[in-house]
Amino acid sequence: MQDVGMRDGLQAEPVFVPTADKIALVDALSDAGLAKIEVTSFVSPMAIPVLADASEVMQGIRRRPGVVYTVLVPNVRGAERAIEARADELNLVMSASETHNLTNLRMTRAQSFRGLSEVAALARQAAVPLNVSLSCAFGCPMEGDVPVPTVLGWCERFIDELGARGVTLCDTTGMAYPSQVLALVRVCRERWPQAEWTLHFHNTRGMGLANVIAAIEAGADRFDASLGGLGGCPYAPGATGNVCTEEIVHALQCMGYDSGVDLPRLVAAAKRLPALIGHPVPSQIVSAGRRLDLHPVPRDLDAIRERALARDG
Amino acid sequence: MQDVGMRDGLQAEPVFVPTADKIALVDALSDAGLAKIEVTSFVSPMAIPVLADASEVMQGIRRRPGVVYTVLVPNVRGAERAIEARADELNLVMSASETHNLTNLRMTRAQSFRGLSEVAALARQAAVPLNVSLSCAFGCPMEGDVPVPTVLGWCERFIDELGARGVTLCDTTGMAYPSQVLALVRVCRERWPQAEWTLHFHNTRGMGLANVIAAIEAGADRFDASLGGLGGCPYAPGATGNVCTEEIVHALQCMGYDSGVDLPRLVAAAKRLPALIGHPVPSQIVSAGRRLDLHPVPRDLDAIRERALARDG
């Protein structure tokens, strides 16, 4: 399990979470046993002021051996800062959809790829592994379905031309569905067995967990998820953000999968979020507890039983 | 697909939805192609005042050939009213957990079963088919896991002693998980191939759709779901109610299953709910649309592209 709440979640919040609190949250995620943590984003502080303290956060966190501390990097300037901050991995992003890439990144896909190549050269020099996140891998909210060969074509370029260690297939707006996930991940797994395949799902249409289960069946390596379900619109009943880390860990644990995560610690970390961001989190495990977090038996149960049996006369 | 929103959903709402609106909603569900609709509950009007108009609703609905109009019936008095109202099926309920049965129905399970037997005798006389809903089939919020033999034992008594046509395995408080569902439904399907198996899931811990998919794999016949996701707490970000009919239909449609339901009609019906109940519904399809309900391409896309290319010089 990889948590992206500190980056993908917090960047969607209007409030600046104090640097010390960010550091404490990342440390809590480390202690909970996450395999990988996307700590922050080295974007321009002007673009996303709430993540302006990226370097300080990277400097402040306690690095637990075995945990990969990755960061999002939009360009060469960001990559330089990230390498300086000793990130374990650089995560780059572009979209499988031309329209989405243009509207979201203000570049054509070809231009984005050229940018990625420059960052990749820098990463190679610094011997920092690279992951590329491909947005809209399961559909574009403006173009609709993205052809599978288009998706595979970009994966090929990331792995073969950029030398990426891993690719994240991102369901940016919650369009993925389980049979589609199963088919795409199977092809990727088979074609690039050595690559690390991460799946990034949103729960926009309620299919997040079902997609995770389909991806596991197809041999995916990792999942992005967000502590507390951060990153959606927490007031809307149909929260549209990232799948929630503790919901996924909880479900997988029920099914007998060991994600290596200590669920009570994870939930404790999620419960610290509302005070920091000023509103509740959409996590259904925070609100409902784990399935065997039992409710007390009513004190008057014996009396209820006696009254019931007395009616039998 | 079976919709239970008119009963299980509306009974959780404090407001009385006018009888004419209830009738119009049931008719909309019929038109949308639902296979079965739980129209109402013949409980005491004192116990659940918002469903006091059960007979009037049953009298007012337009019955579409092929659709099964079922009703919940708690006791002989309710069964008499339901039969008088020409219900196509009586749905009875008791719990697999003694503690839950006592706290929820104020009877021991043995007493509940005796009551069910009396209703069954009446239904047999009137030649009205019977379904029994077994609460807490996947766990009890107070007792914890309910042993599988206990669940199977009650199913056996419903089918063999009461002559029930079908059994609904209810995940009353959202404790079911996919591998558990797969195993239990497989056993039931194999042991009673002639019975109609319905699954009733709640989305309390985010596992609703994943459980539906597991149950389909195991050979389940039908699913309960609630229009708009009614029946939870719609203000809480982690809505804890029934799985949402249009979310399930949408996901199954994406995966190529034909549930026979006209999704746009279903969504249109769901969109009528907020005005009737006075608050938004948790449905993520109502808020986000279907996966291919595309967003418009920005008008200035060409300008964005030109500006981007101009930077290449």
Side-chain angles (χ1 to χ4, degrees):
Chain A
M1 288 298 306
Q2 162 165 3
D3 197 277
V4 298
M6 299 305 101
R7 195 278 304 168
D8 202 359
L10 291 183
Q11 81 174 30
E13 297 292 329
V15 299
F16 179 87
V17 171
T19 307
D21 292 315
K22 285 178 183 143
I23 291 168
L25 280 169
V26 173
D27 287 349
L29 289 169
S30 295
D31 290 342
L34 272 294
K36 203 193 254 195
I37 302 167
E38 192 166 72
V39 177
T40 186
S41 173
F42 283 92
V43 286
S44 148
M46 243 115 81
I48 306 184
V50 295
L51 297 185
D53 54 357
S55 299
E56 290 82 350
V57 173
M58 282 298 285
Q59 201 170 7
I61 56 170
R62 203 170 14 79
R63 299 195 184 207
R64 203 183 168 92
V67 181
V68 177
Y69 297 91
T70 186
V71 297
L72 194 77
V73 155
N75 51 34
V76 168
R77 177 70 197 107
E80 287 165 351
R81 290 170 60 211
I83 292 166
E84 200 181 288
R86 297 189 304 112
D88 292 331
E89 179 190 90
L90 305 187
N91 184 26
L92 315 185
V93 63
M94 65 169 280
S95 181
S97 147
E98 185 76 3
T99 308
H100 184 259
N101 207 76
L102 276 166
T103 51
N104 198 42
L105 302 175
R106 306 273 145 175
M107 285 185 270
T108 66
R109 286 174 298 176
Q111 290 177 314
S112 279
F113 187 80
R114 275 211 305 282
L116 265 51
S117 306
E118 293 166 25
V119 172
L122 209 64
R124 210 172 302 125
Q125 266 180 6
V128 178
L130 213 66
N131 184 81
V132 186
S133 290
L134 184 62
S135 305
C136 296
F138 299 94
C140 165
M142 292 161 292
E143 292 186 6
D145 277 317
V146 173
V148 171
T150 304
V151 173
L152 296 179
W154 288 111
C155 293
E156 185 168 25
R157 297 191 71 183
F158 301 156
I159 295 169
D160 294 349
E161 294 184 37
L162 303 184
R165 171 173 73 177
V167 175
T168 303
L169 300 169
C170 298
D171 180 29
T172 311
T173 61
M175 296 173 71
Y177 54 93
S179 51
Q180 179 195 28
V181 170
L182 189 76
L184 182 61
V185 176
R186 267 196 186 142
V187 171
C188 293
R189 178 82 286 166
E190 201 166 293
R191 220 160 124 180
W192 296 284
Q194 81 293 355
E196 185 177 288
W197 292 99
T198 302
L199 277 293
H200 178 110
F201 294 118
H202 280 214
N203 206 26
T204 320
R205 291 171 179 91
M207 298 190 279
L209 174 63
N211 285 332
V212 167
I213 292 173
I216 290 177
E217 204 181 321
D221 294 301
R222 282 187 201 284
F223 295 94
D224 282 356
S226 176
L227 187 69
L230 262 196
C233 174
Y235 289 114
T240 59
N242 295 290
V243 294
C244 166
T245 310
E246 59 271 26
E247 284 181 26
I248 301 297
V249 168
H250 173 266
L252 296 185
Q253 199 173 80
C254 287
M255 295 175 73
Y257 293 104
D258 180 13
S259 62
V261 179
D262 180 328
L263 190 54
R265 283 192 174 188
L266 190 65
V267 174
K271 285 183 175 166
R272 288 154 69 173
L273 288 170
L276 295 173
I277 57 177
H279 59 76
V281 288
S283 165
Q284 294 185 275
I285 299 302
V286 165
S287 30
R290 293 168 298 173
R291 71 181 287 275
L292 290 179
D293 288 342
L294 301 184
H295 295 233
V297 171
R299 281 169 178 228
D300 60 343
L301 188 71
D302 288 335
I304 294 172
R305 185 186 292 111
E306 274 161 35
R307 278 198 302 274
L309 293 173
R311 283 198 302 273
D312 281 351
Chain B
M1 289 297 305
Q2 161 165 0
D3 196 276
V4 299
M6 300 303 103
R7 196 277 305 167
D8 202 1
L10 291 184
Q11 81 173 29
E13 295 294 329
V15 300
F16 180 87
V17 171
T19 307
D21 291 315
K22 284 178 184 144
I23 291 168
L25 280 170
V26 173
D27 288 349
L29 289 169
S30 295
D31 291 343
L34 271 294
K36 203 193 252 194
I37 301 167
E38 192 166 72
V39 178
T40 185
S41 172
F42 282 93
V43 286
S44 150
M46 243 114 80
I48 306 186
V50 294
L51 297 184
D53 55 357
S55 298
E56 290 82 350
V57 173
M58 281 299 284
Q59 202 170 7
I61 57 171
R62 204 169 18 75
R63 297 192 185 212
R64 204 182 168 92
V67 181
V68 176
Y69 298 91
T70 187
V71 297
L72 192 77
V73 155
N75 51 33
V76 168
R77 177 71 197 108
E80 287 166 350
R81 289 169 61 208
I83 292 167
E84 201 181 286
R86 296 188 305 112
D88 291 332
E89 179 190 271
L90 306 187
N91 183 26
L92 316 185
V93 62
M94 64 171 279
S95 181
S97 146
E98 185 77 3
T99 309
H100 184 260
N101 206 76
L102 276 167
T103 51
N104 198 41
L105 302 175
R106 306 272 143 176
M107 282 185 273
T108 65
R109 288 175 297 177
Q111 289 176 316
S112 279
F113 187 79
R114 275 212 305 282
L116 265 52
S117 305
E118 292 167 25
V119 173
L122 209 63
R124 211 173 301 123
Q125 266 179 7
V128 178
L130 213 67
N131 184 81
V132 186
S133 289
L134 184 62
S135 306
C136 297
F138 298 93
C140 165
M142 293 161 290
E143 291 186 7
D145 277 319
V146 173
V148 170
T150 304
V151 173
L152 296 178
W154 287 110
C155 292
E156 184 168 26
R157 298 192 71 183
F158 301 155
I159 295 168
D160 294 349
E161 294 183 38
L162 303 184
R165 172 173 73 178
V167 175
T168 303
L169 300 170
C170 298
D171 180 28
T172 311
T173 60
M175 295 173 72
Y177 55 92
S179 50
Q180 179 195 31
V181 169
L182 190 77
L184 182 61
V185 176
R186 267 196 184 143
V187 171
C188 292
R189 178 81 287 166
E190 201 166 293
R191 218 159 126 180
W192 295 283
Q194 82 292 354
E196 186 178 286
W197 291 98
T198 302
L199 277 292
H200 178 110
F201 294 119
H202 281 214
N203 207 27
T204 319
R205 291 172 178 89
M207 298 190 277
L209 173 63
N211 285 332
V212 167
I213 292 172
I216 289 176
E217 204 182 322
D221 294 299
R222 281 187 202 286
F223 295 94
D224 283 355
S226 176
L227 186 69
L230 262 195
C233 175
Y235 290 114
T240 58
N242 295 290
V243 293
C244 166
T245 310
E246 59 271 27
E247 283 181 27
I248 301 296
V249 167
H250 173 266
L252 296 184
Q253 199 172 80
C254 287
M255 295 176 72
Y257 292 104
D258 180 12
S259 62
V261 178
D262 180 328
L263 191 54
R265 284 193 173 189
L266 189 65
V267 173
K271 286 183 175 166
R272 290 155 68 175
L273 287 172
L276 295 173
I277 56 175
H279 60 77
V281 288
S283 165
Q284 295 184 274
I285 299 303
V286 165
S287 31
R290 293 168 299 172
R291 71 181 287 275
L292 289 179
D293 289 342
L294 300 184
H295 295 232
V297 172
R299 282 166 176 229
D300 60 342
L301 187 71
D302 288 335
I304 295 171
R305 185 185 293 112
E306 276 161 35
R307 277 198 301 275
L309 293 174
R311 283 198 302 271
D312 281 352

